[in-house]
């Protein structure tokens, strides 16, 4: 019997596919998310929109909040640690969370290195803006990838940019002759073995979700049609006027992402979506997606 | 042969890939209208609460139950086993309630307790089967007519068959071993559904 193997880590990500992972800050919100059909929840102290508004250093959530959420729901519970903060990751593993998000939404603890994720039994998900970044994280042991988008903005444009970048680079790798793969690995800044694997299979070696800026059922379906295998919704649900209704609608739109008549039906009467931010209005140093290396 | 894979959430694509390797027409099922003319139905791994909610939202429970009683072979892996069970220990009630088994969800603990183990499954031959258990359920109790297909060394039941229905705690669709999928396809050659088509 082998616990914490690569197969069971990547396997949990495979079980989450086609689902919606929702940010929650209380046990009550976690229950609303579970009842709405979330396939997992992300336990946080503040949703990204509030982190963005309040500034300062954003850290791992108080274990009290994470534990309360774990005791309330039966679906998997994820929690975020700062980039490179392997002790926060150790703490989250000791708490028994099901997945750790080494996240650019929190203030990075290490500006050169991410956590060496192979040392852990618990699986990790990491953000990416392009294929090179995705493959670097997988090399470090990430069992799941998500596009970064620009968290806490309610603006889908960055998630679309990052998903298209990943897909375009995968298509390019597939079409390259083998003798050009080493140079391409150098250009991507990614390990050759993983570049070769993508060249051969035409997909990432792990599950890839979309995140950052999803606020409506149509946003979720857009990311699914662009190739995401599921979605994270951060501020988009609990910063809207009617969270349970919007949560249910986004779950349905993610399952039926290829069926515009169902997306139309679930988009009716959802109340007011979270107010969005124009990415150009955000000072460069306040962009979250550029964190991570 | 047409095998539908319930594709509301979870690892349905992995089942489709395995069955396609066996030369079967395997396709996703999301709405009741897609349940017509099936030779078998697979309920994949995923989150049972999510799948359960979407089954209710799109009125899939009644037609799936009717097909089961008519003899359609149905196979649930992990979450699929939870959904097929008549009784669930740590949850209010069964969603489909088709198999005469009582299931405990997340019976081994949280994700850090997920594991791989080689399993003896006599129905699949002498060679052990690689079992991938992810936040897996177990069968706590099985009715008198249920055939036990696999037990862990401590006696825990992790795979069983009740007439035309099959359930396992682990994920054959995450391995390269096609034997469990072949075993399921053999069920489709028995019973009324086979007579209709062959």
């Amino acid at each position: 019997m082998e616990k914490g193997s690569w197969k069971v880590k990547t396997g949990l990500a495979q079980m989450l596919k086609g689902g919606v992972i929702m940010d929650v800050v209380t046990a009550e919100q976690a229950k609303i998310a579970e009842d709405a059909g979330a396939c997992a929840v992300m336990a946080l102290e503040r949703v990204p929109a509030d982190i963005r508004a309040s500034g300062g250093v954003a850290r791992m959530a108080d274990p009290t909040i994470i534990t309360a959420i774990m005791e309330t729901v039966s679906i998997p519970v994820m929690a975020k640690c700062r980039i490179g903060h392997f002790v926060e990751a150790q703490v989250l593993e000791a708490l028994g969370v099901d997945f750790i998000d080494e996240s650019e939404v929190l203030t990075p603890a290490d500006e050169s290195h991410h956590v060496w994720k192979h040392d852990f039994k618990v699986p990790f998900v990491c953000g990416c803006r392009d294929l090179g970044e995705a493959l670097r994280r997988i090399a470090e042991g990430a069992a799941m990838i998500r596009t970064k988008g620009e968290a806490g903005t309610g603006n889908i444009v960055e998630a679309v940019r990052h998903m298209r970048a990943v897909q375009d680079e995968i298509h390019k790798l597939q079409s390259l002759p083998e003798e050009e793969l080493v140079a391409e690995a150098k250009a991507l800044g990614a390990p050759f073995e993983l570049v070769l694997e993508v060249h051969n299979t035409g997909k990432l070696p792990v599950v890839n979700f979309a995140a950052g800026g999803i606020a409506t059922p149509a946003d979720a379906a857009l990311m699914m049609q662009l190739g995401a295998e599921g979605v994270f919704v951060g501020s988009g649900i609990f910063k809207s006027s009617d969270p349970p209704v919007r949560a249910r609608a986004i779950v349905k739109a993610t399952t039926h992402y290829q069926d515009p008549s169902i997306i139309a039906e679930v988009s009716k009467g959802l109340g007011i979506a979270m107010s969005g931010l124009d990415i150009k209005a955000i000072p460069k140093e306040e962009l979250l997606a550029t964190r991570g290396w | 042969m047409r095998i539908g894979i319930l594709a509301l959430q979870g690892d349905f694509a992995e089942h489709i890939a395995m069955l396609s390797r066996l030369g079967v027409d395997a396709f996703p099922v999301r709405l009741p209208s897609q349940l017509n003319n099936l030779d078998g139905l697979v309920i994949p791994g995923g989150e049972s609460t999510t799948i359960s909610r979407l089954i209710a939202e799109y009125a899939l429970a009644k037609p799936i139950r009717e097909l089961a009683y008519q003899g359609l072979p149905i196979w649930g892996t992990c979450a699929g086993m939870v959904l097929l069970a008549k009784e669930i220990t740590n949850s209010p009630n069964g969603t489909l309630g088709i198999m005469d088994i009582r299931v405990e969800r997340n019976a081994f603990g949280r994700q850090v307790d997920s594991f791989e183990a080689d399993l003896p499954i006599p129905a699949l031959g002498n060679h052990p089967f690689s079992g991938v258990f992810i936040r897996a359920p177990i069968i706590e109790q099985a009715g008198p007519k249920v055939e036990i297909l696999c037990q862990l060394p401590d006696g825990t039941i992790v795979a069983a068959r009740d007439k035309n229905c099959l359930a396992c705690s682990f994920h054959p669709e995450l391995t390269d071993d096609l034997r469990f999928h072949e075993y399921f396809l053999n069920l489709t050659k028995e019973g009324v559904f086979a007579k209709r088509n062959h």
Side-chain angles (χ1 to χ4, degrees), chain A:
Chain A
M1 181 153 107
E2 194 194 353
K3 288 188 182 181
S5 63
W6 182 243
K7 179 76 102 182
V8 300
K9 288 180 178 177
T10 53
L12 180 57
Q14 286 170 282
M15 295 312 133
L16 299 172
K17 288 199 296 181
V20 183
I21 299 167
M22 302 181 192
D23 277 4
V24 297
V25 299
T26 63
E28 292 72 34
Q29 287 187 355
K31 191 76 192 120
I32 290 169
E34 183 178 51
D35 289 345
C39 68
V41 289
M42 179 74 70
L44 287 163
E45 227 165 73
R46 287 172 291 170
V47 294
D50 290 336
I51 291 174
R52 190 177 283 289
S54 61
V57 174
R59 309 179 181 90
M60 173 186 81
D62 183 331
T64 318
I65 295 174
I66 298 169
T67 308
I69 290 168
M70 285 167 57
E71 284 167 359
T72 304
V73 295
S74 65
I75 56 177
V77 175
M78 300 184 165
K80 289 184 194 288
C81 75
R82 284 178 265 177
I83 289 173
H85 204 314
F86 52 86
V87 174
E88 282 187 351
Q90 290 165 3
V91 170
L92 294 173
E93 182 173 60
L95 289 173
V97 302
D98 298 292
F99 234 108
I100 296 175
D101 184 359
E102 187 185 16
S103 177
E104 70 282 0
V105 169
L106 305 183
T107 311
D110 188 325
E111 294 191 336
S112 306
H113 305 289
H114 283 246
V115 173
W116 181 249
K117 294 165 273 286
H118 290 293
D119 280 349
F120 291 79
K121 279 202 169 86
V122 61
F124 280 73
V125 55
C126 288
C128 76
R129 284 164 297 169
D130 52 43
L131 182 61
E133 196 172 9
L135 296 181
R136 288 194 292 278
R137 296 294 84 78
I138 295 165
E140 294 157 356
M144 179 178 181
I145 290 293
R146 56 173 174 75
T147 55
K148 285 182 177 171
E150 187 58 33
T153 61
N155 189 339
I156 197 70
V157 66
E158 294 301 305
V160 170
R161 189 192 319 280
H162 301 155
M163 186 58 72
R164 281 204 186 275
V166 171
Q167 302 292 352
D168 288 352
E169 286 161 345
I170 289 174
H171 293 147
K172 182 184 172 196
L173 270 192
Q174 275 184 288
S175 65
L176 285 180
E178 277 173 345
E179 66 268 26
E180 294 184 19
L181 292 178
V182 170
E184 190 60 22
K186 187 181 170 196
L188 288 170
F192 172 73
E193 290 70 22
L194 293 175
V195 168
L196 183 63
E197 186 176 341
V198 174
H199 167 75
N200 287 328
T201 62
K203 58 188 201 56
L204 282 182
V206 302
V207 166
N208 183 24
F209 270 42
I214 295 166
T216 69
D219 286 347
L222 173 67
M223 297 315 300
M224 294 295 287
Q225 288 200 26
L226 285 172
E229 295 178 287
V231 298
F232 284 84
V233 185
S235 319
I237 289 170
F238 288 100
K239 285 285 165 191
S240 72
S241 67
D242 193 345
V245 169
R246 184 165 296 267
R248 279 201 296 277
I250 293 177
V251 167
K252 285 191 258 187
T254 303
T255 291
H256 297 284
Y257 69 95
Q258 292 161 310
D259 193 330
S261 60
I262 290 183
I263 301 166
E265 191 55 41
V266 304
S267 299
K268 288 176 186 165
L270 297 182
I272 300 158
M274 72 176 284
S275 66
L277 279 177
D278 186 345
I279 306 299
K280 293 187 194 73
I282 305 171
K284 271 213 166 63
E285 63 277 12
E286 288 179 21
L287 289 173
L288 303 177
T290 54
R291 297 166 166 180
W293 1 99

